[in-house]
Amino acid sequence: MTYFDQATETLPREELAALQLSKLQAMSAELWGKNRFYTDKWRAAGVEPGDIRSLADLAKLPLTKKCELMDDQAANAPFGTNLTYPIEQYVRLHQTSGTTGVPLKVLDTADSWDWWGRCWAHVLAGSGVNSSDRVFLAFAFGPFIGFWAAMEGARKIGAVMIPGGGRDSAQRLELMRDTGATVLCCTPTYALRLAEVARETGFDLSAIPMKSTVHAGEPGANIPATKNRIEGAWSAKCFDHAGASEIGAHSFECEVQPGGTHVIESEFIVEVINPETLEAVAPGQRGELVITNLGRWGFPLVRYRTGDLVETDLSPCGCGRSFLRFTGGILGRADDMVTVRGVNVFPAGVENILRKFAEVDEFRITVNKVKQMDEMDIEVELREGSDPRIVQAIAERLDAMLAFRPRVMDVGRNILPRFDMKAKRFHVNRAS
């Protein structure tokens, strides 16, 4: 089993909690009076760092929402007040993807960026990556944080990092083959897109000595049918990872699968709450992930509402890590669920059905209101030579799962968009 920091990854739960508390107390003391965003927020709530005497006291601190950070940056342009140090101490600027609005700008000090690298080293080591590996990052290096921090993680492990920016998909495949890449980092969508390009161009994927694929940026690697398709295409083991620009790289899948994703609890404290009542839910129950990062003092997030839905598992893992796990990884987003004809529908559930059909290369889901009735339309692109009657079988399978029948349509080849990073396949249009 490969570890990055075996001593902390295998700590008994009581010692792990003590480590988290010491880091939380040190960070909160550092923020007080220096970080205007949190100093003002905590004062308004009537709490201060000295009130945090146990992990249970974390609940005394107010929750943080992304809209607060966005409003703060709008009012205090360009970077807001969630900065603990003078701007001269910051060395990196990244931003969120902006898929839900204006991107949030995120700054890191040298120490915070080093922390990012340690978190990603956990991610890569959890995937079995070591100094003998060659890690290919299929990513265009812009301001979106994407896989920037994966470079630091690879460096800390001692693996060779191969940047894949500035190339189209066919050229990336050739570079992976020519450099002997053994690990691929990209979104689940793009791993499947690369396999599609290989099939269309006659490129032999077996010429790449790939052993692992590590995925982030969207659900998919945690969706069984999508994971199976990636592993089948690449003849490599597929690993899930979750994080965010504003939070950090917080969880990863180990080599014991299926088993969920481990939270890097030496660097994060997680809570799971009912998104409606804001009360804590019991372990094993589904709720919204609230997270506190412990090592990013330059741009901290304390009790941050992620909007992600998770279920926690504290049972022992065969890998030997004591870190808790998210059962099935990130299960979706609280705001992704849509009700169609009285049925609660999550995009990941629909994708899990569609990916079981090998004939489906790409798809798009749209929910419309037609004559006051919700309709779900699913457009699919089928592989060359597929029997078009497969759409009937897809509709029947979805009908059995959802208890209503979506309208499934074959739109022909090369009609639907392809994605290198986060895919947007689920659309809701209820304006009419």
Coordinates of all heavy atoms in Angstrom, one line a residue, residues 358-361 381-390 410:
A358 N -23.0 0.6 -23.9 CA -21.7 0.9 -24.6 C -21.9 1.6 -25.9 O -21.0 2.3 -26.4 CB -21.0 -0.5 -24.9
E359 N -23.1 1.6 -26.4 CA -23.4 2.3 -27.7 C -23.4 3.8 -27.5 O -23.3 4.6 -28.5 CB -24.8 1.9 -28.2 CG -24.8 0.4 -28.6 CD -25.2 -0.5 -27.4 OE1 -25.3 0.0 -26.3 OE2 -25.5 -1.7 -27.7
V360 N -23.6 4.3 -26.3 CA -23.7 5.8 -26.0 C -22.4 6.4 -25.8 O -21.6 6.1 -24.9 CB -24.6 6.1 -24.8 CG1 -24.7 7.6 -24.5 CG2 -26.0 5.5 -25.0
D361 N -22.0 7.3 -26.8 CA -20.7 8.0 -26.7 C -20.9 9.3 -25.9 O -20.0 9.7 -25.1 CB -20.2 8.4 -28.1 CG -19.2 7.4 -28.6 OD1 -18.7 6.6 -27.8 OD2 -18.9 7.4 -29.8
E381 N -25.7 10.5 -28.5 CA -24.9 10.2 -29.7 C -24.5 8.8 -29.6 O -23.8 8.4 -28.6 CB -23.7 11.1 -29.8 CG -24.0 12.5 -30.4 CD -22.7 13.2 -30.7 OE1 -21.7 12.5 -31.1 OE2 -22.7 14.4 -30.7
L382 N -24.8 8.0 -30.6 CA -24.4 6.6 -30.6 C -23.1 6.3 -31.3 O -22.8 7.1 -32.2 CB -25.5 5.8 -31.2 CG -26.9 5.9 -30.5 CD1 -27.9 5.0 -31.3 CD2 -26.9 5.5 -29.1
R383 N -22.4 5.3 -30.9 CA -21.2 4.9 -31.6 C -21.5 4.6 -33.1 O -22.6 4.1 -33.4 CB -20.5 3.7 -31.0 CG -19.9 4.0 -29.7 CD -19.0 2.8 -29.2 NE -18.4 3.1 -27.9 CZ -17.5 2.3 -27.4 NH1 -17.2 1.2 -28.0 NH2 -17.0 2.6 -26.2
E384 N -20.6 4.8 -34.0 CA -20.7 4.4 -35.4 C -21.1 3.0 -35.5 O -20.5 2.1 -34.8 CB -19.4 4.7 -36.1 CG -19.5 4.9 -37.6 CD -20.1 6.2 -37.9 OE1 -19.6 7.3 -37.4 OE2 -21.1 6.3 -38.8
G385 N -22.2 2.7 -36.2 CA -22.6 1.3 -36.5 C -23.6 0.8 -35.5 O -24.0 -0.4 -35.6
S386 N -24.0 1.6 -34.5 CA -24.9 1.1 -33.4 C -26.3 1.0 -34.0 O -26.7 1.8 -34.9 CB -24.9 2.1 -32.2 OG -23.6 2.1 -31.6
D387 N -27.0 0.1 -33.5 CA -28.4 -0.1 -33.9 C -29.2 1.0 -33.3 O -29.3 1.2 -32.0 CB -29.0 -1.4 -33.4 CG -30.4 -1.8 -33.9 OD1 -31.1 -0.8 -34.3 OD2 -30.8 -2.9 -33.9
P388 N -29.9 1.9 -34.1 CA -30.6 3.1 -33.5 C -31.8 2.7 -32.6 O -32.2 3.5 -31.8 CB -31.1 3.8 -34.8 CG -31.1 2.8 -35.9 CD -29.9 1.9 -35.6
R389 N -32.2 1.4 -32.7 CA -33.3 0.9 -31.9 C -32.9 0.8 -30.4 O -33.7 0.6 -29.5 CB -33.8 -0.4 -32.4 CG -34.6 -0.3 -33.7 CD -34.9 -1.7 -34.2 NE -33.8 -2.5 -34.6 CZ -33.8 -3.7 -35.1 NH1 -35.0 -4.3 -35.3 NH2 -32.7 -4.4 -35.3
I390 N -31.6 1.0 -30.1 CA -31.1 0.9 -28.7 C -31.8 2.0 -27.9 O -31.9 1.9 -26.7 CB -29.6 1.0 -28.7 CG1 -29.1 0.6 -27.3 CG2 -29.1 2.4 -29.0 CD1 -29.3 -0.9 -27.0
D410 N -31.9 9.8 -30.6 CA -30.6 9.7 -31.2 C -30.4 11.0 -32.1 O -31.1 11.2 -33.1 CB -30.5 8.5 -32.0 CG -29.2 8.3 -32.8 OD1 -28.3 9.1 -32.6 OD2 -29.2 7.4 -33.7

